[in-house]
Amino acid sequence: MRTRSSAPSEQPQSPPSTSDHQTTAAASTSAPPAQSTPKKTFILPSTASADARFLTLPNPRSAEPTRYFFDPKLGVYEFTVLSSPPSAPRSTLLVRNSDPSSSTSQPPAHISKKAELLLATPIDILFFLIPILTANTKQNNLFQPLDDIIDSLDEDLLPPHLRHVLYDETFRGTLHARAAAISDSVEAGDEKMFRFNETKLLQELVAKADRMVNAGLPPSLEERFVRQALATPLMAVKRDDVATTGENKENEGEDKNEEKGTEEKTTTNNEDAKEDLPEGVKVPEGVANLLRISVALSFMKECYLSKEMSARIDELLAAPESPKDFKPMRDHLDLVAKLRAEALASRSLGDFSRKRSVEDQEAAESRAEKKRRMEEEEKKKKANESRGVRDLKKVNTTGMKKMSDFFGKAAAKKKA
């Protein structure tokens, strides 16, 4: 009885053939398999140091973990996504610079399925300090060193990566300078102590908005939020009644004086028919610039400030002590809104083709309902008719007597 398999017979191993060697070489030089997750293309600062890192920090607006780029010498960078629209998808070909000294075997090019670039743009560390300083102010409104303020926070408000940024020795000078821009500070020996100040924060935001306006807003923001917001509606239209010069003459033998009088009369009527456009409401001086500053402030509030802090900034801007007086801008925008409402009302009243009383509308609806009911009854009647009846209806009965003529009353007999 056989209980185990016999040992395999030893056969001399044949040397690898040339085709096998070529297959192995081709497999080693072939491109790596495509990854299911598409790679991302980052555009980073060219002067970034070797200590630069990708970090996950809480978003200043929503406090959600977000990826940032941090360099102790340059600061914190956020990523702005530049991508093609979904209606026109594209791909990107990335070619590697040839380096003869490199011994690593990497593919010379790579195709990214998504034409998406993540551009590193600088963000002020001030926006990350606002939640930290405001949280400390709620606990005790006292002057404290920045290190003590950071240490007093919970771990939820201070993730490890943010702690790495705040305790970086190279970045400490920039951190203290930005904290002093939005806080009251006092010197206590060799140490500087801070206390958050909302007025200083507002002044810093207004200064940032001024710099944005001086540099020029993007054309899309300028068109949508400035020009369209200040545009006034057209309240009247210039109308020229063109006179016809080739009028038919009633009598061919009219004198030239009569023709001249007719032309003068026509010209007078044309001048009376002209309606000059009223001058539009002029934008007061400085209103457009105030609107640009307001747009820049709204952008910063929507992107970098929490909802509570944004509401508080709006209250400070509306106060009399605000560094910018936006009352002329608000008054002009109210006037533009009023003119637009009047133009809309006049257009709806002048469009007589759309005007219809309630009674006329109800009568029209009842007529349409009656017509629809009659059509349905006629369709049912035709569906119930037999084929013979339908064929008889097609017969040409022109000149024939009706059946009722044969069954009428008999004619009266004449008396003898």
Side-chain angles (χ1 to χ4, degrees), residues 151-164:
D151 293 337
S152 63
L153 297 177
D154 298 334
E155 294 183 357
D156 297 338
L157 295 175
L158 202 65
H161 287 187
L162 182 58
R163 187 181 294 272
H164 168 74

Side-chain angles (χ1 to χ4, degrees), residues 59-73:
N59 186 280
R61 170 71 176 180
S62 60
E64 295 181 357
T66 310
R67 185 62 60 90
Y68 293 91
F69 181 76
F70 171 66
D71 188 297
K73 296 181 180 179

Side-chain angles (χ1 to χ4, degrees), residues 157-363:
L157 295 175
L158 202 65
H161 287 187
L162 182 58
R163 187 181 294 272
H164 168 74
V165 174
L166 298 178
Y167 283 109
D168 190 279
E169 293 296 334
T170 308
F171 194 61
R172 180 170 291 272
T174 304
L175 197 67
H176 279 253
R178 300 312 295 153
I182 58 173
S183 304
D184 297 327
S185 59
V186 293
E187 296 287 345
D190 297 337
E191 201 168 19
K192 203 170 188 178
M193 307 177 74
F194 302 95
R195 184 178 63 184
F196 179 68
N197 190 332
E198 294 178 345
T199 305
K200 281 194 170 185
L201 173 61
L202 177 60
Q203 293 174 355
E204 186 68 22
L205 294 177
V206 171
K208 284 180 176 291
D210 285 333
R211 289 195 295 269
M212 291 174 63
V213 172
N214 294 333
L217 295 179
S220 57
L221 293 179
E222 180 76 19
E223 177 65 26
R224 181 176 179 182
F225 296 103
V226 180
R227 294 180 183 175
Q228 293 183 8
L230 296 177
T232 55
L234 189 63
M235 301 298 293
V237 179
K238 185 176 181 180
R239 185 181 63 193
D240 293 336
D241 292 336
V242 181
T244 57
T245 56
E247 294 181 352
N248 295 328
K249 298 180 181 179
E250 295 180 357
N251 300 319
E252 295 181 357
E254 288 183 348
D255 298 332
K256 294 182 179 180
N257 295 332
E258 293 180 358
E259 293 179 358
K260 187 175 181 181
T262 305
E263 291 177 359
E264 291 178 355
K265 186 177 181 180
T266 305
T267 306
T268 306
N269 293 336
N270 290 339
E271 291 177 355
D272 294 339
K274 291 182 180 180
E275 296 179 2
D276 293 332
L277 276 173
E279 294 184 0
V281 179
K282 294 183 179 179
V283 180
E285 186 178 357
V287 169
N289 194 57
L290 287 175
L291 184 56
R292 294 187 184 97
I293 295 174
S294 177
V295 170
L297 288 172
S298 300
F299 173 77
M300 287 186 285
K301 288 186 295 183
E302 291 293 331
C303 295
Y304 305 117
L305 297 181
S306 62
K307 294 182 179 179
E308 295 79 7
M309 184 56 65
S310 298
R312 182 57 184 160
I313 292 297
D314 290 336
E315 294 177 2
L316 294 176
L317 287 173
E321 299 82 9
S322 173
K324 289 285 184 181
D325 185 13
F326 291 98
K327 188 177 184 302
M329 180 198 71
R330 289 192 290 266
D331 293 343
H332 185 73
L333 292 180
D334 292 342
L335 176 61
V336 172
K338 182 180 178 181
L339 292 176
R340 289 178 180 175
E342 292 177 356
L344 183 62
S346 62
R347 185 179 65 179
S348 60
L349 290 174
D351 192 0
F352 295 103
S353 61
R354 297 182 181 179
K355 292 183 65 178
R356 178 178 290 178
S357 62
V358 178
E359 296 180 358
D360 294 343
Q361 189 173 1
E362 291 179 354

Side-chain angles (χ1 to χ4, degrees), residues 378-397:
E378 189 175 353
K379 287 181 181 179
K380 289 180 181 179
K381 191 182 295 183
K382 288 182 178 180
N384 295 330
E385 288 180 351
S386 62
R387 182 178 178 182
V389 175
R390 289 197 299 269
D391 292 343
L392 285 174
K393 286 184 177 181
K394 297 178 182 179
V395 176
N396 187 7
T397 58

